[in-house]
Amino acid sequence: MKAVVQRVTRASVTVGGEQISTIGRGICVLLGISLEDTQKELEHMVRKILNLRVFEDESGKHWSKSVMDKQYEVLCISQFTLQCVLKGNKPDFHLAMPTEQAEGFYNSFLEQLRKTYRPELIKDGKFGAYMQVHIQNDGPVTIELESPAPGAAASDPKQLSKLEKQQQRKEKTRAKGPSESSKERNAPRKEDRSASSGAEGDVSSEREP
């Protein structure tokens, strides 16, 4: 599953000359569903989209708040062309989920968004229709998201559990203080008459388009 998330000041969808959806400040999500997508990929993408930090906080710090944090709106558009592969210069969409399956899957995606967030703040276009999508990109800020491929380490529950346990051990170590082994390592050695120390600065990069 692929998604293109754009931070917007407003966005709308028009079908047949009639505006059917509109939002103010928030995010516009273009979603491409693949043949291999399952409920697992759906839930992963919903979490990523709703927790993506593309907004500033109250102090003006960039990349600090998600659409849920700010209680902004979300406009979703089904866009199978994101699953394009090129054959020469011609787009091919055989990796996209067929229409008859994709419509139900897309509706489940919207349902999960509404279940996770505030349903009245989730808007969408018209599946399968020829749409005019008007997006006023704020920044501009555009983020591409892709669910982990089946079998990838990032989506392996055992791998995730291992990483979580490692993090928990680190937190416990910090809470208890240095261990005996670390004390021994840090103890000055008689043969080492010189010592050096340094502090690694906190280097961060914040760029706001």
Side-chain angles (χ1 to χ4, degrees):
M1 187 180 295
K2 296 180 180 180
V4 173
V5 181
Q6 300 185 63
R7 188 178 71 186
V8 302
T9 50
R10 64 172 173 262
S12 63
V13 180
T14 300
V15 176
E18 178 185 356
Q19 187 178 89
I20 63 170
S21 287
T22 183
I23 65 169
R25 195 162 188 206
I27 57 175
C28 180
V29 180
L30 307 177
L31 187 75
I33 303 169
S34 81
L35 277 169
E36 298 182 341
D37 287 332
T38 65
Q39 183 68 22
K40 183 177 181 179
E41 283 73 44
L42 184 154
E43 292 174 357
H44 171 89
M45 190 61 73
V46 166
R47 287 194 302 271
K48 282 293 183 181
I49 289 170
L50 293 179
N51 291 287
L52 186 63
R53 297 187 297 177
V54 293
F55 299 98
E56 60 184 30
D57 63 15
E58 294 73 16
S59 66
K61 184 178 180 181
H62 304 310
W63 320 114
S64 299
K65 297 292 183 179
S66 69
V67 70
M68 286 202 301
D69 294 330
K70 303 293 283 187
Q71 295 292 291
Y72 288 156
E73 294 178 286
V74 179
L75 175 61
C76 289
I77 309 294
S78 176
Q79 187 170 3
F80 72 91
T81 58
L82 287 175
Q83 293 295 339
C84 164
V85 292
L86 291 178
K87 290 187 174 181
N89 292 321
K90 182 181 179 181
D92 180 272
F93 307 106
H94 72 276
L95 295 179
M97 185 177 287
T99 302
E100 57 272 15
Q101 298 171 247
E103 183 171 8
F105 194 92
Y106 177 67
N107 288 334
S108 296
F109 174 81
L110 291 174
E111 183 180 344
Q112 186 69 25
L113 276 175
R114 292 177 174 128
K115 181 180 177 181
T116 308
Y117 190 28
R118 294 171 55 187
E120 69 274 15
L121 297 182
I122 305 296
K123 309 292 179 64
D124 72 300
K126 185 175 181 180
F127 185 90
Y130 188 87
M131 296 175 277
Q132 298 292 324
V133 183
H134 303 272
I135 301 171
Q136 186 166 303
N137 195 314
D138 179 31
V141 172
T142 301
I143 308 293
E144 296 181 7
L145 299 176
E146 186 169 359
S147 58
S155 61
D156 186 352
K158 292 182 180 179
Q159 182 68 15
L160 290 174
S161 178
K162 182 179 179 181
L163 293 173
E164 289 171 357
K165 288 180 180 179
Q166 289 176 347
Q167 183 62 29
Q168 289 173 359
R169 285 197 294 269
K170 288 179 181 179
E171 292 174 355
K172 287 181 180 179
T173 300
R174 285 197 294 267
K176 292 181 180 180
S179 63
E180 291 300 321
S181 59
S182 63
K183 288 178 181 178
E184 292 175 2
R185 286 196 301 269
N186 294 330
R189 298 177 181 178
K190 292 181 179 180
E191 67 272 16
D192 185 4
R193 298 180 179 277
S194 63
S196 62
S197 62
E200 195 174 60
D202 181 14
V203 180
S204 62
S205 174
E206 289 189 0
R207 176 183 173 188
E208 175 67 4

